[in-house]
């Protein structure tokens, strides 16, 4: 799991500049979530206070109840709402059971503050 997350984060716009040891510190603060088909991850319009990295499964992104894309292993979602404290611009729901890793905005901010000091 750690190897997978390190690889994804290395190519991710939020974490690409981190050293491996710093990346490891962030990974240690992620929450693992098992999801089942039909589970909503978040809904359009909700407060955006976290983001997710997909380890397995398939997830549908919908805007105004219309599916616009499918996300799979290695994709991430929720970053912009988390970063800018804005409402979710889309709904994301689990289509095929899987695992996602969640980072709360307060954890993200604490990690970035800790790593920049």
């Amino acid at each position: 799991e750690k190897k997978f997350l390190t690889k994804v984060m290395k190519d991710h716009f939020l974490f690409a500049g981190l050293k491996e040891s710093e990346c490891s510190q962030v990974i240690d603060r992620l929450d693992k979530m098992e999801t089942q088909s039909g589970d909503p991850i978040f809904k359009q319009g909700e407060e955006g206070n976290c983001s997710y990295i997909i380890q397995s499964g398939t997830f549908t992104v919908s805007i105004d109840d219309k599916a616009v894309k499918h996300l799979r292993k290695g994709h991430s979602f929720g970053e912009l709402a988390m970063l800018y404290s804005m409402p979710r611009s889309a709904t994301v729901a689990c289509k095929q059971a899987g695992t996602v890793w969640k980072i709360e905005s307060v954890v993200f901010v604490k990690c970035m503050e800790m790593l920049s000091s």
Side-chain angles (χ1 to χ4, degrees):
E1 293 176 338
K2 199 163 193 170
K3 187 176 181 179
F4 163 77
L5 289 167
T6 301
K7 183 180 183 321
V8 171
M9 291 173 78
K10 182 180 170 193
D11 297 328
H12 193 283
F13 76 96
L14 288 179
F15 307 105
L18 298 180
K19 297 175 190 160
E20 194 167 329
S21 61
E22 295 170 333
C23 191
S24 183
Q25 291 178 50
V26 174
I27 289 169
D28 290 342
R29 290 163 177 80
L30 299 177
D31 294 320
K32 184 177 184 179
M33 292 175 48
E34 301 294 335
T35 61
Q36 299 301 315
S37 180
D39 286 353
I41 307 303
F42 55 73
K43 295 186 179 186
Q44 186 174 351
E46 290 180 347
E47 179 186 352
N49 57 6
C50 59
S51 66
Y52 302 84
I53 297 171
I54 301 170
Q55 182 173 343
S56 62
T58 306
F59 297 80
T60 303
V61 179
S62 303
I63 297 175
D64 299 329
D65 297 320
K66 181 181 178 187
V68 293
K69 76 165 99 165
H70 297 286
L71 303 174
R72 294 177 173 74
K73 181 179 180 175
H75 288 136
S76 61
F77 57 93
E79 300 92 342
L80 295 180
M82 177 189 79
L83 286 175
Y84 299 109
S85 299
M86 55 191 268
R88 299 290 186 186
S89 60
T91 295
V92 177
C94 180
K95 182 177 179 185
Q96 179 184 21
T99 302
V100 294
W101 291 87
K102 175 181 178 180
I103 185 165
E104 298 280 348
S105 58
V106 289
V107 172
F108 176 76
V109 169
K110 281 183 185 174
C111 284
M112 295 304 115
E113 287 173 352
M114 176 185 68
L115 296 172
S116 67
S117 58

